[in-house]
Amino acid sequence: MSDEFMKGFGILTSAGLFWFIVAAWFNTESFGGTQLVAPNPDDVGLYADILIGIKDVAVWFGILGALTFWFVIPAVREGRRAYEERQRSAD
């Protein structure tokens, strides 16, 4: 179980770090103003648009990846284990 926890935690921290870096580059209006959550800039070029798109994907990858490793995979394993035990007791 600790292996799944660390995989989920690694995904969450890596995606979060990537989001913080890109948000600091593109979504910080000023040092004293809105930081990290300002609106995305409009006309920044192709590569910056791609990077901003990947930033949005990284948020969902971090959330869904962590939830998958913390909840879905252990639940599936427990369900499979319970099903196998039920099949053994039925035989």
Side-chain angles (χ1 to χ4, degrees):
M1 290 301 240
S2 64
D3 186 37
E4 282 84 14
F5 176 78
M6 288 309 297
K7 288 177 186 175
F9 189 68
I11 288 173
L12 184 64
T13 56
S14 300
L17 179 63
F18 179 79
W19 183 87
F20 273 117
I21 290 171
V22 176
W25 282 340
F26 294 111
N27 299 104
T28 300
E29 293 176 345
S30 67
F31 183 74
T34 305
Q35 295 184 3
L36 303 178
V37 293
N40 290 329
D42 291 332
D43 189 24
V44 291
L46 176 66
Y47 293 122
D49 281 338
I50 292 171
L51 194 59
I52 289 171
I54 294 173
K55 177 188 77 158
D56 296 336
V57 170
V59 169
W60 289 108
F61 175 70
I63 292 169
L64 295 176
L67 290 176
T68 299
F69 278 103
W70 291 345
F71 296 108
V72 175
I73 292 175
V76 168
R77 286 184 181 170
E78 279 296 316
R80 188 179 302 152
R81 188 176 304 134
Y83 179 75
E84 289 173 358
E85 288 177 10
R86 188 173 184 192
Q87 291 295 334
R88 285 186 203 146
S89 66
D91 290 339

